[in-house]
Structure formats: C-alpha cells, structure tokens
C-alpha cells in the first residue's frame, strides 16, 4: 500500500472547528482516523520486511530541541479594542517568522517575544495567504535568533508520532502535546470564534492531540524536532461531545514554505498578498443584482471619512467591476495601506458617483 492510498483514507471529511487562537479583551482572531488494514485472502501467503520498532517520542527531549526557535505573538487592532495571542516559528536569525494568518489577521500592531532569547520585538507583516492560513512576519531589529529546523511533510505516514508546541492559553510559556497522525489530507471548516466567519482548509495534517487556543502558528514537529507542519486549528466543542477528538490540525510545512518563497519574491498572486492588510473600514454583504452593499461604514475609517454611507453599493474599484463582497475583497487584496482607490458607488435612488478613498491598515472588509 503506497502513501497515496493512505492519504486517501479519511480524505474529504468536513469538520466544524474553532480556529485555535486565544481570544483577548472582546475576542479576536479566534474523526475519524484509522491505521490502514491489509486485506488478504484466507489462503494468501504473506511476508514482510520489518526493522526495529521505534521507541515512543520523547516529549521532553524534543521540546528542548524545538522550543528555542519558537516565538509568542500578540496582535492588536485599533480602534476596536481587539487582540489575539498565538505562536510563530523562526525561519532566519534576522527575524523572519512563520505563523498562521488568522493570528495576525487585520492587525495594526504585532508584538513578538522570543522564547529562546527572551527579547521582545515589534513586527511587520511581510505577506500572507489567507486561503492557506499562512503568514510571514519580519521582526524589527532582530539578529542572532535561534532558527527552527525545517523538515518536510512529504515522507509523513499515518501513525507517525508528532508533537504540537505553542503558546497554549496565551500564557507566554510553550506547551507541548503529543499524538499520532490520523490523516494526511484532511478537509476542515475552521470557525472564527470572534466573528463566526468560516474558512475551508484542505490538505491538512490531522493529529490525535489536544491542541489548545494560542498554539496557532506554532510548530508541529517530528521525533527529531524538525518542523513538519504549522498548527492551525483544534476540534470544536461539538466534535468533542460526539467523542470525535481531541484533534489538532496543521498546514503541511511544504505547503507553508511554498507560500513563504512566494512572499520573499515580493510578487503578489491571486492568493498571496504582500505586506500588511489594507482596508476600507466597511462591513459589506452581497448586493442585488450585483455589487458590494455597504452595511456599515465604520466611524473614523477611510470609507466613512470619504463620505460613503450605509446602504450604498460599490459597483467598481479602479474600473474593475465588483460583483459581490468577495470580488471587493479580491480587488483590495492587491492593494496596500496608503494606496488610493477609486470607487464607483450607487444609492437606493439610482444615483451614481465616484469616490476616491485612501486605504489604511486594518482588518479585511
């Protein structure tokens, strides 16, 4: 039985999950698995090659290897009074940090404390892929940081022992929980406990481990301390009451590093955004027959300052037609804070106008 067969088992299961980022102040961001069986006919003769059985993963030893290259992350958004805590993985001595996008989603301030050195840094968002839930941070003034050993997710197998390490509970002290891999191609729906938004994630590593809030962005490591995944989500309460879990989910490190390489190139794509998130500062819904309906223009934010009001509909951005709210988000994804965009807007009475708006840093619309 090859790895492709093993990966196929349990694939395509959709679970409702809570994104595993700890919620602070008013709140933010934040199975089935079985070992393969070998069927044979009753009269079949079988033989197998076997090596020495691996000892159990040494949690204390592996933690000592991996923890120095991890960081704690605190993100904040003004003026909403929201904050989140999560974890990150140090990629370079100069302060490139890999984390989950939902940990820093829309943040206008990010503070990082290094577990290995105890130093604290401000961070800027180098880029992210919201669909893959991966982000890359740059720490200001960092130098000589301990670097994580980046492994590969390609050779993983069902039943492999792994360790999830991160800032559980937002306490600032890393917590490690061990478990075995139960799925290598899990499809989940992650639910943001702050705004109840949902995101579909595919190709996830599923682990039979009690991943906790705050470990998002932390490291899933193998028995040698090599990072083979980025922790993203944990089982929701519904799954726990049904006896399905606890489980943790991680983005394979090969997938995450592909996003990192794209961000490092400085070239945005349809999925990869370069730099901090830019926002209009509005809440929208799909308009009929088309457009993004402005439900709320938030006081003090760019759209409000430019004179946009609740009830109007955005029909184009820089001459790009806006079919719905998702189209507006995609159009804004190509922009950065301080960019000026030109919006075509209609009102309930059939009036039309064009408004120029200067974007700012903030959560996506």
């Amino acid at each position: 039985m090859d790895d492709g067969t093993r990966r196929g088992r349990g694939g395509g299961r959709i679970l409702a999950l809570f994104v595993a980022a700890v919620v602070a102040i008013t709140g933010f961001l934040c199975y089935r698995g079985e070992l393969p069986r070998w069927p044979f006919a009753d009269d079949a003769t079988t033989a197998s090659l076997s090596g020495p059985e691996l000892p159990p993963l040494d949690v204390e030893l592996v933690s000592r290897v991996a923890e120095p290259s991890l960081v704690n992350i605190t993100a904040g958004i003004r003026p909403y009074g929201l904050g989140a805590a999560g974890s990150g993985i140090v990629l370079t001595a100069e302060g490139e940090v890999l984390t989950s996008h939902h940990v820093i989603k829309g943040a206008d301030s990010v503070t990082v404390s290094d577990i290995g050195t105890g130093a604290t840094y401000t961070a800027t968002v180098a880029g992210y892929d919201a669909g893959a839930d991966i982000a890359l941070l740059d720490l200001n003034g960092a130098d000589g940081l301990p670097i994580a050993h980046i492994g590969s997710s390609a050779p993983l197998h069902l039943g492999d022992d792994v360790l999830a390490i991160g800032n559980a509970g937002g306490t600032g002290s890393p917590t490690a929980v061990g478990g075995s891999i139960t799925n290598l191609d899990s499809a989940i729906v992650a639910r943001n406990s702050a705004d109840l938004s949902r995101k579909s994630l595919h190709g996830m590593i599923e682990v039979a481990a009690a991943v906790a809030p705050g470990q998002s962005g932390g490291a899933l490591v193998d028995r040698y301390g090599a990072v083979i995944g980025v922790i993203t989500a944990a089982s929701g309460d519904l799954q726990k009451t049904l006896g399905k879990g606890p489980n943790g989910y991680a983005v394979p490190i090969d997938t995450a590093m592909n996003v990192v390489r794209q961000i490092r190139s400085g070239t945005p794509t349809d999925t990869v955004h370069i730099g901090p998130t830019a926002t209009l500062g509005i809440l929208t819904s799909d308009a009929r027959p088309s457009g993004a309906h402005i439900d709320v223009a938030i006081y003090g934010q760019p759209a409000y300052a430019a004179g946009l009001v609740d009830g109007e509909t955005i029909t184009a951005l820089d001459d790009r037609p806006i079919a719905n709210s998702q189209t507006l988000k995609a159009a804004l994804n190509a922009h950065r804070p301080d960019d000026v965009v030109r919006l075509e807007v209609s009102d309930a009475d059939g009036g039309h106008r064009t408004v120029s708006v200067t974007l700012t840093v903030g959560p996506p619309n």
Side-chain angles (χ1 to χ4, degrees), residues 242 289 314 350 359:
L242 294 175
I314 299 172
L359 304 177

Side-chain angles (χ1 to χ4, degrees), residues 58-73:
D58 188 325
V59 173
E60 183 177 352
L61 176 61
V62 175
S63 296
R64 286 202 303 267
V65 171
E67 285 177 4
S69 58
L70 300 182
V71 296
N72 300 323
I73 299 174

Side-chain angles (χ1 to χ4, degrees), residues 289-355:
S290 65
H293 181 269
I294 301 175
D295 299 323
V296 179
I298 300 171
Y299 177 79
Q301 293 297 294
Y304 184 94
L308 295 178
V309 298
D310 304 354
E312 292 186 307
T313 297
I314 299 172
T315 58
L317 186 151
D318 290 339
D319 298 323
R320 174 179 175 176
I322 300 300
N324 49 40
S325 293
Q326 190 58 44
T327 308
L328 177 62
K329 292 178 183 179
L332 289 170
N333 189 55
H335 289 277
R336 300 187 181 189
D338 297 325
D339 284 355
V340 178
V341 297
R342 189 176 66 260
L343 304 177
E344 294 179 26
V345 182
S346 63
D347 58 35
D349 297 325
H352 299 272
R353 61 192 181 111
T354 301
V355 181

Side-chain angles (χ1 to χ4, degrees), residues 131-203:
D133 199 23
I134 290 296
L136 184 67
L137 306 179
D138 284 327
L139 307 190
N140 301 318
D143 188 35
L145 298 182
I147 304 172
H149 175 204
I150 302 301
S152 174
S153 46
L156 297 177
H157 295 82
L158 295 178
D160 285 352
D161 287 335
V162 292
L163 197 64
I165 312 177
N167 183 19
T171 62
S173 298
T175 299
V177 290
S180 61
I181 294 175
T182 54
N183 198 334
L184 288 166
D185 189 19
S186 188
I188 66 174
V189 176
R191 183 162 69 92
N192 185 323
S193 59
D195 61 13
L196 303 184
S197 62
R198 296 173 182 269
K199 178 182 293 296
S200 296
L201 297 169
H202 302 274

Side-chain angles (χ1 to χ4, degrees), residues 4-354:
T5 303
R6 295 188 179 194
R7 294 173 184 265
R9 305 199 103 178
R13 295 175 289 106
I14 307 297
L15 300 179
L17 306 169
F18 287 102
V19 169
V22 95
V23 178
I25 310 175
T26 60
F28 170 68
L29 296 165
C30 211
Y31 106 43
R32 180 183 64 194
E34 56 187 29
L35 292 174
R37 299 180 181 275
W38 295 78
F40 296 102
D42 292 340
D43 57 350
T45 300
T46 65
S48 63
L49 295 175
S50 62
E53 184 177 350
L54 291 174
L57 183 148
D58 188 325
V59 173
E60 183 177 352
L61 176 61
V62 175
S63 296
R64 286 202 303 267
V65 171
E67 285 177 4
S69 58
L70 300 182
V71 296
N72 300 323
I73 299 174
T74 303
I77 303 176
R78 297 186 305 268
Y80 312 108
L82 305 175
S87 308
I89 304 162
V90 179
L91 298 182
T92 68
E94 295 72 33
E96 272 193 345
V97 171
L98 174 63
T99 189
S100 298
H101 172 251
H102 73 261
V103 171
I104 53 87
K105 177 182 176 183
D108 54 18
S109 66
V110 180
T111 303
V112 175
S113 58
D114 184 70
I115 294 173
T117 66
T120 299
Y121 306 90
T122 59
T124 56
V125 179
Y128 58 82
D129 184 335
D133 199 23
I134 290 296
L136 184 67
L137 306 179
D138 284 327
L139 307 190
N140 301 318
D143 188 35
L145 298 182
I147 304 172
H149 175 204
I150 302 301
S152 174
S153 46
L156 297 177
H157 295 82
L158 295 178
D160 285 352
D161 287 335
V162 292
L163 197 64
I165 312 177
N167 183 19
T171 62
S173 298
T175 299
V177 290
S180 61
I181 294 175
T182 54
N183 198 334
L184 288 166
D185 189 19
S186 188
I188 66 174
V189 176
R191 183 162 69 92
N192 185 323
S193 59
D195 61 13
L196 303 184
S197 62
R198 296 173 182 269
K199 178 182 293 296
S200 296
L201 297 169
H202 302 274
M204 308 292 286
I205 301 171
E206 180 184 81
V207 182
V211 170
Q215 288 185 310
S216 277
L220 187 70
V221 299
D222 63 18
R223 63 176 54 250
Y224 308 107
V227 180
I228 48 89
V230 181
I231 302 168
T232 296
S235 298
D237 291 337
L238 176 59
Q239 281 67 48
K240 293 175 184 177
T241 58
L242 294 175
K244 299 178 180 179
N247 292 304
Y249 297 85
V251 177
I253 194 61
D254 293 354
T255 300
M257 292 306 296
N258 284 338
V259 175
V260 168
R261 283 187 283 271
Q262 186 64 44
I263 294 171
R264 285 172 173 169
S265 76
T267 304
T269 69
D270 288 343
T271 59
V272 175
H273 175 90
I274 305 298
T277 306
T279 187
L280 284 167
I282 56 177
L283 304 180
T284 63
S285 58
D286 294 345
R288 296 291 183 267
S290 65
H293 181 269
I294 301 175
D295 299 323
V296 179
I298 300 171
Y299 177 79
Q301 293 297 294
Y304 184 94
L308 295 178
V309 298
D310 304 354
E312 292 186 307
T313 297
I314 299 172
T315 58
L317 186 151
D318 290 339
D319 298 323
R320 174 179 175 176
I322 300 300
N324 49 40
S325 293
Q326 190 58 44
T327 308
L328 177 62
K329 292 178 183 179
L332 289 170
N333 189 55
H335 289 277
R336 300 187 181 189
D338 297 325
D339 284 355
V340 178
V341 297
R342 189 176 66 260
L343 304 177
E344 294 179 26
V345 182
S346 63
D347 58 35
D349 297 325
H352 299 272
R353 61 192 181 111
T354 301

